[in-house]
Amino acid sequence: MSRAKRAAMVATTAGAMALATPLIGQAQTVVPPSSGPCVVVGTTATCTGDVSTGVSAAAPLTALNVNSLTQNITPAVGVDGVAFVVNTLVNQNIAVNVDTGAFAISVQNAIGVNAQLGTFANNLNGDITVMSTGDITTTGSDGINADLFGTGNITVISNGNISGPSSQGIDASHEGGPGNITVLSTGDITSDGEGINAFNRQDGIVHVSSVGTIRADGIGIDARTLNGDVTVRSIGDITTSSGREGIEADATNGAIVITSVGNITTPGDEGIEAGVIANGSIVITSTGNITALFDGANGGDEGISAVVGGTGSITISSTGNISTDGNANSDGILATVNTAGPVTINSTGTIATTGADGIEASVQAGSTATVNLGGGAVSGGTGGAAGVNFSGVAGSTNVLNTSGTVTLSSHSGIAIIGGAGNTIVNNSGILNAIDNGAIQLGGGTNAFNNLGGGTFNAGGVVNLGAGNHFNNSGTLSPGGSGSLRTTALTGNISQSTGGVFLVTVDPSAGMADQVTVTGTANLAGAVQVHVLNPASGTQSQTILTAAGGTTNNGLGLLASPAVQASLSFPNANDVVLTYSIDFSAGGLNPDQTALAVSLNTALGAGSGDLEPILSPLLSNIFTISDYRNALNQLLPGVVLDTETATLFSAEDF
């Protein structure tokens, strides 16, 4: 979110707060002495029974208790349900404790429960505590309001449902000197404005915890402070309807921590937004799904956005699914530190965008952006967007770690953008970057490490930059097993002794996978042969060519005994695979040999409907022992052995 947008929001909120002065006229007034249903002991007033016209307290009282009611609190239009307002020049604490029991508070053009200490003109010091148990219905103003125009702390605890139409469900605002704000809500909130607003215009800590669901036209939870820490914990679902954030937390300097468990749906703005204007840190943990929809006016914006304007750090962990359908400002996850400091993004869910990057991480020179993907599909949008975009400057370091099964793509056709920084990709799981999955790591010092146990199913482009290295200790498969693809690799390739280059061949089409390398190729490990559409005859295909030269460091073959294959290096650049299919491999018994000869005959006539039987024999078996066992499964002896065992069992019985 831009600074201009934040400034406009501050001005708008200030105007709304200025209009939040309570309207008191027909309420029960409990300034000492005791009167009607209210009893005063010392500086504490307790109101019970019939207070349906509302309750209003003022100094020199310091505490107001409203409980043991006999009916709902339903005052006249413009009158607060329960109000404790001190606006004379008296520094004191205010405590309001309302428990409506089986009844509720219902007000029109007024505040349900209102506590105010001071005014914009008269700043008073002290603490405000509001404890409300029971449901509140309001029209035109806040469900619960706590305004402090001086130095002190604000605490609001709400154990009930708040419903509008209202300005804010809960509004806790610090207008004067430093102090902390704490808002704890366990009920559901429905509001035409913000669900919960905790706004500290001065220095201090802001803490908001919400358990229930929130439906708001404005921001679901808005927590802000000048200098201090902000903590937001949301358990229930949040839905906004007027192009505003689900959760927003901002500070000029400080640490922001957001934990969101429920699902968030918002049109035209962020699902979760956190911003530190100057220096500080941001930690966001989201386990629910986030949907940021395009509302026709705004951009749809990010699912999760975190920006530190100065020096600091950002950590985002998301396990839910994120979907945005807005424009180029609508990343799934955006994390940016503008001066210095690291960024870490952890994601295991599905992220899908239509107009921007699935994940964008940006840091400055000397800092590191790390993205850890533990599964799921991350898809970027159009206009040059990527699944993962490292948009940092030259001298920054980018690290992408993938585990589990991860699919990267974008509508632009780009899986990963490395930008101007130095980018390292480490894959230990199954990384699919096949369709619309070009890898563009940019002009830095880059590396792609396909680690042992990892499988990289490559698309048409893997651009690491000239002189940079693709290191394969796992399995490299152009297009994935069972499909044909030529992968153009810019850089050098090295395959270790544990590495596998999985090559799909199509004898019927006379084609095979191929990797073309602009630099050098140093090859150990093995070439694994996967046969698609088997046909008879001997064929040779170039499976790798390196313009800078190819070195054979003991490259071997991993092929079925039914595939007679060999590797050759006919020149300084190419690796050629020559193969033919013969099911009658050596070491078979007479029955197995007879079956193999029949399979060869069928292959010569065209495999046809036998391909589902032939392909596993050609692609998934690599030892003669396993091959013999596979043939046995196709022989009638397996069926006869089963029937014989059944017969003997019946005879024994």
Side-chain angles (χ1 to χ4, degrees):
M1 177 184 293
S2 68
R3 294 189 182 184
K5 182 177 177 183
R6 289 196 180 100
M9 290 179 61
V10 170
T12 301
T13 305
M17 291 175 181
L19 298 174
T21 303
L23 300 172
I24 306 169
Q26 302 176 23
Q28 297 282 347
T29 301
V30 292
V31 176
S34 302
S35 62
C38 300
V39 176
V40 176
V41 178
T43 60
T44 299
T46 300
C47 301
T48 60
D50 181 1
V51 290
S52 58
T53 58
V55 177
S56 172
L61 294 175
T62 60
L64 173 62
N65 301 320
V66 179
N67 52 47
S68 301
L69 303 185
T70 57
Q71 60 187 40
N72 296 331
I73 299 177
T74 56
V77 175
V79 177
D80 295 337
V82 176
F84 195 157
V85 177
V86 177
N87 53 27
T88 58
L89 297 180
V90 178
N91 293 325
Q92 68 172 78
N93 298 329
I94 293 178
V96 180
N97 186 352
V98 179
D99 186 348
T100 59
F103 300 97
I105 298 174
S106 178
V107 297
Q108 301 180 59
N109 298 329
I111 300 171
V113 177
N114 182 32
Q116 180 177 321
L117 182 57
T119 66
F120 282 107
N122 299 322
N123 286 0
L124 302 180
N125 301 324
D127 295 339
I128 295 178
T129 302
V130 177
M131 298 185 65
S132 175
T133 300
D135 295 342
I136 300 174
T137 301
T138 69
T139 60
S141 195
D142 304 329
I144 297 175
N145 176 74
D147 272 353
L148 175 58
F149 296 85
T151 299
N153 302 317
I154 299 174
T155 301
V156 176
I157 300 174
S158 174
N159 298 310
N161 301 323
I162 300 176
S163 59
S166 61
S167 296
Q168 276 88 226
I170 298 175
D171 182 9
S173 301
H174 216 302
E175 311 290 350
N180 303 327
I181 298 176
T182 300
V183 177
L184 308 176
S185 173
T186 61
D188 298 335
I189 297 176
T190 302
S191 171
D192 282 357
E194 297 178 348
I196 297 175
N197 177 55
F199 192 0
N200 195 339
R201 297 178 184 275
Q202 305 299 324
D203 297 345
I205 295 171
V206 173
H207 173 71
V208 177
S209 178
S210 174
V211 176
T213 61
I214 296 177
R215 296 180 179 273
D217 281 357
I219 301 171
I221 298 175
D222 188 0
R224 285 181 275 179
T225 188
L226 188 62
N227 294 297
D229 299 339
V230 177
T231 304
V232 176
R233 178 177 178 268
S234 175
I235 304 300
D237 295 344
I238 297 177
T239 302
T240 69
S241 57
S242 295
R244 302 305 297 273
E245 297 87 345
I247 298 174
E248 177 176 353
D250 294 305
T252 301
N253 294 283
I256 295 176
V257 178
I258 298 175
T259 302
S260 176
V261 176
N263 300 323
I264 297 177
T265 302
T266 174
D269 225 320
E270 293 91 348
I272 298 175
E273 184 272 334
V276 175
I277 295 175
N279 303 319
S281 62
I282 297 174
V283 176
I284 299 174
T285 303
S286 174
T287 59
N289 299 326
I290 297 176
T291 304
L293 302 172
F294 180 60
D295 66 353
N298 298 298
D301 283 34
E302 295 85 6
I304 299 176
S305 171
V307 177
V308 174
T311 298
S313 63
I314 296 174
T315 300
I316 298 175
S317 299
S318 173
T319 58
N321 300 325
I322 298 176
S323 175
T324 71
D325 65 355
N327 57 22
N329 297 318
S330 305
D331 298 319
I333 298 177
L334 169 67
T336 301
V337 175
N338 285 328
T339 300
V343 163
T344 302
I345 299 175
N346 308 305
S347 175
T348 58
T350 295
I351 300 176
T353 68
T354 60
D357 302 308
I359 295 175
E360 180 180 356
S362 177
V363 294
Q364 299 300 306
S367 299
T368 301
T370 303
V371 175
N372 301 310
L373 301 180
V378 180
S379 175
T382 58
V388 176
N389 182 7
F390 293 104
S391 56
V393 303
S396 63
T397 299
N398 309 311
V399 180
L400 172 62
N401 299 313
T402 57
S403 59
T405 299
V406 175
T407 299
L408 295 178
S409 64
S410 75
H411 297 287
S412 296
I414 306 173
I416 306 170
I417 294 176
N422 306 316
T423 303
I424 301 171
V425 179
N426 300 308
N427 174 51
S428 60
I430 300 175
L431 175 56
N432 300 308
I434 303 172
D435 297 324
N436 299 318
I439 294 176
Q440 304 281 3
L441 295 193
T445 301
N446 309 312
F448 192 122
N449 302 311
N450 194 40
L451 305 174
T455 296
F456 175 44
N457 296 320
V461 175
V462 179
N463 183 0
L464 309 183
N468 294 316
H469 289 272
F470 182 95
N471 303 303
N472 185 38
S473 298
T475 299
L476 168 63
S477 176
S481 175
S483 64
L484 298 174
R485 179 64 62 93
T486 295
T487 298
L489 191 152
T490 301
N492 306 313
I493 184 171
S494 297
Q495 180 167 289
S496 69
T497 55
V500 173
F501 176 22
L502 195 158
V503 176
T504 297
V505 299
D506 186 341
S508 296
M511 300 174 65
D513 285 342
Q514 187 180 40
V515 175
T516 63
V517 184
T518 62
T520 61
N522 290 280
L523 304 175
V527 171
Q528 179 179 332
V529 180
H530 183 98
V531 179
L532 184 69
N533 300 320
S536 59
T538 300
Q539 300 195 37
S540 296
Q541 277 110 28
T542 300
I543 58 173
L544 185 143
T545 181
T550 297
T551 301
N552 178 10
N553 292 323
L555 185 65
L557 267 170
L558 192 60
S560 167
V563 179
Q564 314 303 307
S566 63
L567 294 173
S568 62
F569 300 82
N571 52 52
N573 308 105
D574 297 337
V575 179
V576 174
L577 173 66
T578 301
Y579 63 93
S580 62
I581 297 174
D582 182 3
F583 289 99
S584 57
L588 303 180
N589 64 32
D591 289 340
Q592 294 163 349
T593 299
L595 174 59
V597 170
S598 297
L599 294 176
N600 283 335
T601 301
L603 182 65
S607 57
D609 294 338
L610 288 178
E611 183 178 349
I613 297 175
L614 303 183
S615 290
L617 295 173
L618 299 172
S619 300
N620 301 333
I621 299 169
F622 305 108
T623 67
I624 188 63
S625 175
D626 289 341
Y627 183 62
R628 288 196 296 262
N629 289 335
L631 290 176
N632 286 340
Q633 301 305 309
L634 300 175
L635 289 170
V638 173
V639 178
L640 291 176
D641 288 346
T642 302
E643 293 180 347
T644 301
T646 302
L647 178 62
F648 286 160
S649 177
E651 184 177 89
D652 290 341
F653 178 76

